[in-house]
Amino acid sequence: MHTHHMSRPSVSALAAPLVEALIARAGVLRLAISHSANGARIVDAGIKAAGGIEAGRLIAEICLGGLGTVDIVPSPRFSRWGTSLGVRTADPVTACLISQYAGWSLSEGDFFALGSGPARALHAKETLYEELGYRDSAASAVLVLEVDSFPPETLIDRIGANCGVATDKLTLILTPTRSLAGTVQVVARVLEVALHKAHALHFPLERIVDGLASAPLPPPAPDFITAMGRTNDATLYGGDVHLFVDGPEDEAAKLAEGLPSSTSRDYGRAFGEIFSAYNGDFYAMDPMLFSPARVTVTALSTGRSFTHGAFDEAVLDRSFA
């Protein structure tokens, strides 16, 4: 039995220098930095500021808690969409689930956002933290919000209090889905989506030793629904994930079979079409749809690999174009 999950690093501590580096390059990255009345730093990565693809790449690495690398590379996988986002991490469970997963629901008045990134592990109220036996503590906090408006002061105060940090040690990064940076940081979740589904399939997370993933980079869209559709389709119909797991080979084979998006009843239509068919009720959709198109699982005990699922370029062309 490996002990690779026994002591986990502090994702907030690891992400802190990445946040400072992002802010130091704000001008070049077309980000706007402001401070709320209560002293929190607000990074606008696509609301009034233009932001961009490189900003999104760096924000995605912050989201991964300083444990992951996001590469943007040419790829021959699809004829029209020749740029791929690659994700690799030092510890996929910590990087993707403890840090990157958008699991903190924040609302105040008519403002609503899902929080992702290192600060979630300071709050640590989601059941996942108890399950994985992880709770972070740090002097500073960073939270990424997929929104197109600025959060109210009272909510910012609450986030600081929930994380146990002074408000002036809190950084909030705002990335609308319809922006270039937002597009990148959502598609950079292609590995996280596979881990989250592995968890939903009750595969023991401590057995996931390593993982790699890639997905095509879609163009952004001016309206939220189309933008959300494209970023989801990139993973559902173009995402490729390779997991390396401990334990019996037959369980690795079973995981590979259960993981791809093609196992879902909603598979085969563009995300936007499915969303409309359910009258925009996100929760009516099959939760098992949220997974990569193709998955390979390698059983480290025997060295054998199992691959299931397939890419669907036609759906991507319809969605992206």
Side-chain angles (χ1 to χ4, degrees):
M1 187 64 201
H2 291 297
T3 53
H4 52 266
H5 286 315
M6 293 315 270
S7 89
R8 285 202 166 89
S10 162
V11 288
S12 281
L14 287 172
L18 303 184
V19 176
E20 298 314 312
L22 182 82
I23 285 170
R25 293 182 59 205
V28 174
L29 295 167
R30 299 189 295 255
L31 303 170
I33 313 295
S34 58
H35 288 81
S36 64
N38 47 15
R41 277 190 306 198
I42 311 284
V43 179
D44 172 2
I47 301 173
K48 294 183 186 123
I53 289 165
E54 180 60 9
R57 191 187 72 77
L58 295 167
I59 291 164
E61 292 187 344
I62 289 168
C63 240
L64 286 159
L67 286 165
T69 305
V70 176
D71 296 305
I72 298 176
V73 294
S75 161
R77 190 184 302 163
F78 303 111
S79 56
R80 253 185 108 174
W81 318 106
T83 303
S84 175
L85 225 72
V87 185
R88 53 199 159 89
T89 79
D91 177 346
V93 173
T94 308
C96 297
L97 296 182
I98 280 174
S99 191
Q100 189 190 26
Y101 176 61
W104 189 357
S105 186
L106 298 158
S107 61
E108 179 102 6
D110 55 8
F111 179 89
F112 172 78
L114 287 173
S116 61
R120 275 178 54 240
L122 293 170
H123 181 225
K125 287 290 181 286
E126 300 159 48
T127 53
L128 186 72
Y129 294 98
E130 202 177 321
E131 218 177 295
L132 293 169
Y134 184 102
R135 195 199 174 117
D136 203 0
S137 68
S140 65
V142 58
L143 196 64
V144 175
L145 302 175
E146 198 186 326
V147 279
D148 55 12
S149 61
F150 287 72
E153 293 291 314
T154 43
L155 181 64
I156 296 172
D157 276 331
R158 202 165 77 228
I159 293 168
N162 284 338
C163 292
V165 301
T167 328
D168 62 358
K169 292 277 187 272
L170 177 64
T171 303
L172 299 177
I173 303 177
L174 314 179
T175 63
T177 319
R178 55 175 174 76
S179 66
L180 284 161
T183 302
V184 172
Q185 80 92 16
V186 176
V187 177
R189 297 167 186 279
V190 56
L191 181 59
E192 175 260 296
V193 166
L195 294 184
H196 190 249
K197 187 159 176 184
H199 186 229
L201 294 169
H202 307 295
F203 187 82
L205 292 176
E206 68 278 3
R207 286 205 214 148
I208 300 173
V209 179
D210 226 321
L212 301 161
S214 61
L217 178 65
D223 67 286
F224 170 72
I225 301 293
T226 311
M228 176 177 67
R230 288 177 179 184
T231 53
N232 276 294
D233 287 333
T235 292
L236 300 178
Y237 298 104
D240 199 16
V241 172
H242 192 164
L243 299 180
F244 302 83
V245 304
D246 278 335
E249 185 189 274
D250 63 323
E251 291 180 25
K254 189 169 171 263
L255 177 64
E257 209 176 318
L259 275 177
S261 52
S262 54
T263 58
S264 163
R265 61 174 156 84
D266 285 330
Y267 180 84
R269 291 181 292 173
F271 183 89
E273 295 165 14
I274 305 167
F275 191 70
S276 303
Y278 287 113
N279 300 315
D281 180 1
F282 194 75
Y283 296 99
M285 296 178 75
D286 178 8
M288 288 300 171
L289 177 68
F290 298 93
S291 21
R294 187 177 75 175
V295 179
T296 299
V297 179
T298 298
L300 292 171
S301 58
T302 63
R304 281 193 68 197
S305 296
F306 305 90
T307 303
H308 288 271
F311 305 122
D312 193 328
E313 192 163 0
V315 175
L316 291 179
D317 285 349
R318 206 161 66 237
S319 172
F320 291 5

